[in-house]
């Protein structure tokens, strides 16, 4: 089944695509370097220890810094020069062959950074429930931003790429609800810490969200209306992942 058919058909996602080893190595290096830059800025006394243990063991030093303060989303967005390098990777070309031309979504933290393309990363420490979010639909957020006017113009659809860089299959990763993109889920928006936060009005706890079995480099690619969420990390390492939102013309589908 083609990537298009998997995402826009009954499933709403694909787990068939992987980074090659060179791509995985390079992405790990980009994210690790960015992580070290953040450590150097916030807690320079921890830099040598961070270099020694590596980002996948971040949890071993996390209690020595203020995790929430050090790692807001704005501090986890890769620089535009790194984004430009990632756009030359073979997996991007392969996705364009499968899906047609696309752009990468603008950066959005407290406002939309028009023209700045967003690739960002996440840290999920072992057994820390606050590091993961509940089931949600990306389009809820897209529609809620910019005072409810939304991020994107009419006539486009988005697709999320979730890339595990350090992952322990079956112990951590991302959960999805297959086929959920075919249902219209109700939500409302609340302002939380100065940002619009979509709150589901349907009872999502009864849904069969599946923890996807993903090894490092095994991408999940899914529709903007597919329900997904993090799961508490039951592994022994920090789960590290990257995310990219592709913006495509609706005319292609």
């Amino acid at each position: 089944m083609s990537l298009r058919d998997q995402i826009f058909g009954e499933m709403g996602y694909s787990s068939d695509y992987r980074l090659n080893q060179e791509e995985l190595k390079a992405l790990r290096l980009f994210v690790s370097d960015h992580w070290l830059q953040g450590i150097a800025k916030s807690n320079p006394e921890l830099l040598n220890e961070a270099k020694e243990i590596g980002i996948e063991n971040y949890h071993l030093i996390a209690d020595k810094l203020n995790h929430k303060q050090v790692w807001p989303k704005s501090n986890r967005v890769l620089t535009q020069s790194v984004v430009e390098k990632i756009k030359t990777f073979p997996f991007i070309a392969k996705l364009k062959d499968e899906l047609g031309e696309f752009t990468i979504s603008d950066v959005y933290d407290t406002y939309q950074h028009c023209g700045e393309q967003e690739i960002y990363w996440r840290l999920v420490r072992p057994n820390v429930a606050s590091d993961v979010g509940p089931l949600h639909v990306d389009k809820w957020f897209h529609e809620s931003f910019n005072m409810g006017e939304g991020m994107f113009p009419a006539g486009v659809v988005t697709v999320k790429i979730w890339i595990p860089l350090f992952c322990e299959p079956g112990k951590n990763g991302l959960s999805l609800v297959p086929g959920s993109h075919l249902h219209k889920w109700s939500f409302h928006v609340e302002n939380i810490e100065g940002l619009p936060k979509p709150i589901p009005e349907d009872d999502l706890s009864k849904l069969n969200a599946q923890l996807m079995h993903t090894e490092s480099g095994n991408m999940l690619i899914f529709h903007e209306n597919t329900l997904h969420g993090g799961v508490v990390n039951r592994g022994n390492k920090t789960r590290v992942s990257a995310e990219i939102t592709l913006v495509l013309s609706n005319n292609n589908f």
Side-chain angles (χ1 to χ4, degrees):
M1 187 182 298
S2 72
L3 179 60
R4 284 185 178 219
D5 288 343
Q6 290 180 80
I7 295 174
F8 294 93
E10 293 185 1
M11 294 173 60
Y13 77 96
S14 173
S15 58
D16 290 347
Y17 290 76
R18 295 174 178 266
L19 300 179
N20 64 41
Q21 287 302 307
E22 289 185 359
E23 290 172 322
L24 177 58
K25 181 179 179 181
L27 268 179
R28 282 176 166 176
L29 182 60
F30 291 150
V31 171
S32 293
D33 283 349
H34 200 217
W35 171 71
L36 288 172
Q37 291 168 24
I39 297 286
K41 183 177 181 180
S42 68
N43 295 79
E45 73 281 2
L46 297 177
L47 182 58
N48 287 337
E49 188 175 3
K51 288 179 178 179
E52 183 177 343
I53 64 173
I55 192 172
E56 70 273 26
N57 289 307
Y58 163 69
H59 57 285
L60 299 179
I61 62 169
D63 61 349
K64 300 178 183 180
L65 50 77
N66 187 324
H67 176 84
K68 185 175 181 179
Q69 181 178 314
V70 172
W71 303 121
K73 182 183 176 184
S74 58
N75 286 354
R76 295 180 284 109
V77 177
L78 294 174
T79 65
Q80 293 303 290
S81 61
V82 169
V83 170
E84 290 301 321
K85 292 177 182 177
I86 294 171
K87 286 164 60 178
T88 68
F89 283 13
F91 85 91
I92 294 290
K94 186 173 183 179
L95 290 175
K96 286 188 175 181
D97 286 342
E98 293 274 2
L99 299 173
E101 286 297 319
F102 56 73
T103 59
I104 294 176
S105 170
D106 290 338
V107 173
Y108 198 102
D109 39 51
T110 55
Y111 68 96
Q112 186 170 354
H113 300 238
C114 295
E116 296 181 34
Q117 296 182 317
E118 179 180 86
I119 300 178
Y120 67 101
W121 47 274
R122 292 181 183 267
L123 300 168
V124 178
R125 295 164 289 174
N127 303 306
V128 180
S130 60
D131 281 357
V132 297
L135 282 176
H136 66 279
V137 164
D138 282 347
K139 193 172 183 181
W140 294 348
F141 288 87
H142 301 161
E143 293 179 347
S144 302
F145 291 144
N146 294 327
M147 304 297 290
E149 294 185 6
M151 284 188 67
F152 305 113
V156 302
V157 63
T158 66
V159 170
K160 170 66 68 65
I161 308 173
W162 182 82
I163 309 172
L165 301 179
F166 291 95
C167 189
E168 297 168 273
K171 296 182 178 180
N172 54 43
L174 194 73
S175 64
L176 296 175
V177 181
S180 55
H181 64 302
L182 300 175
H183 182 84
K184 185 171 179 60
W185 306 98
S186 299
F187 72 99
H188 66 274
V189 178
E190 296 180 5
N191 189 293
I192 300 177
E193 297 182 350
L195 290 173
K197 179 76 172 180
I199 307 296
E201 296 177 345
D202 298 290
D203 183 4
L204 305 182
S205 64
K206 298 178 181 179
L207 298 176
N208 183 26
Q210 301 177 10
L211 172 59
M212 308 305 293
H213 189 91
T214 49
E215 298 178 350
S216 298
N218 184 178
M219 297 181 281
L220 294 175
I221 307 172
F222 52 92
H223 193 279
E224 64 182 2
N225 282 325
T226 297
L227 279 166
H228 62 283
V231 295
V232 175
N233 181 356
R234 300 305 185 191
N236 298 312
K237 300 286 186 180
T238 295
R239 193 209 84 190
V240 185
S241 57
E243 299 184 24
I244 310 173
T245 297
L246 309 181
V247 184
L248 305 94
S249 170
N250 242 336
N251 295 330
N252 293 338
F253 303 97

